[in-house]
Amino acid sequence: MTDENYFALQWHITEKCDQRCKHCYLYAGKDRNSCRDLDLTTLKSILDNFIDFCRKVHVKPSIAVTGGDPLLYHDIWNFLELLYSKSIPFSILGNPFHLDLPTAKKLKELGCINYQMSLDGCKETHDYIRKKGSFDETLSKVVCLKEANINEIPKLVDIIVASGFDRFIFARYCPNPCDYDLLPSPQEYKNFLEIMWKKYESLKNSDTIFILKDHLWYLY
């Protein structure tokens, strides 16, 4: 796919999730047991509107399906089959807990082009932010699929490469409510990008592709 031909929609189809990440905005100030998902008929109507929009502006639709954990949506397979029937490429922004080899194979058969999981730092940091055991669970799922603390991200790259992940991406930092004092200064962030660029250069011959998603890369 090329950015010029496709218009991407990030679609939160459910709030259901096994984790309660400290930075999650879906559950901020809400009853953590209340999850109100739209039914498949409503999703189909929204999808038809999105397809119609893309047709009018002469772009092709692409969808990043997320949540919550999209695999916990009650009608996930019928929804993905709907995308497949309309030849819409999609990716999954999800978690590792409900991903196994049969599920990965089924996703591939339905046209899933990417399954993205997050790492917020090394093991102790990540499991503190998300859920105990989440770090190891995320790394273990690379065999089914073939992305922090700003000071831990360069070290995290080495773990990602050694674990055999296809791609590594980092993007905007969403701080926990009590962690705003940890935000880096502009100069600190510039220094961080310099360190990351050198890390990427040193690993450019590895099997991992490093994607420059953060818009500040352009300024750097």
Side-chain angles (χ1 to χ4, degrees), residues 43-58:
L43 293 189
K44 184 179 183 303
S45 178
I46 295 171
L47 179 63
D48 288 341
N49 286 336
F50 177 57
I51 293 172
D52 185 56
F53 161 78
C54 290
R55 185 182 300 114
K56 289 179 179 178
V57 296
H58 308 293

Side-chain angles (χ1 to χ4, degrees), residues 186-218:
Q187 186 59 50
E188 288 173 330
Y189 198 78
K190 180 181 179 182
N191 294 340
F192 163 71
L193 291 181
E194 182 175 354
I195 292 170
M196 290 301 294
W197 183 257
K198 291 179 179 178
K199 174 68 70 173
Y200 289 171
E201 281 287 296
S202 70
L203 295 169
K204 63 184 178 182
N205 293 323
S206 70
D207 293 331
T208 302
I209 298 172
F210 304 107
I211 298 175
L212 307 183
K213 180 178 180 181
D214 193 317
H215 295 302
L216 291 178
W217 277 119
Y218 291 104

Side-chain angles (χ1 to χ4, degrees), residues 2 18 26 28 36 42 48 69 85-86 93 96 102 123 133 139 146-147 153 159-160 184 200:
T2 61
D18 291 325
L26 290 179
R36 298 176 298 277
T42 304
D48 288 341
D69 187 338
S85 70
K86 296 181 180 296
L93 312 184
K123 184 174 181 176
L139 291 184
K146 278 271 328 164
E147 156 166 328
I153 293 180
I159 296 174
I160 289 295
Y200 289 171

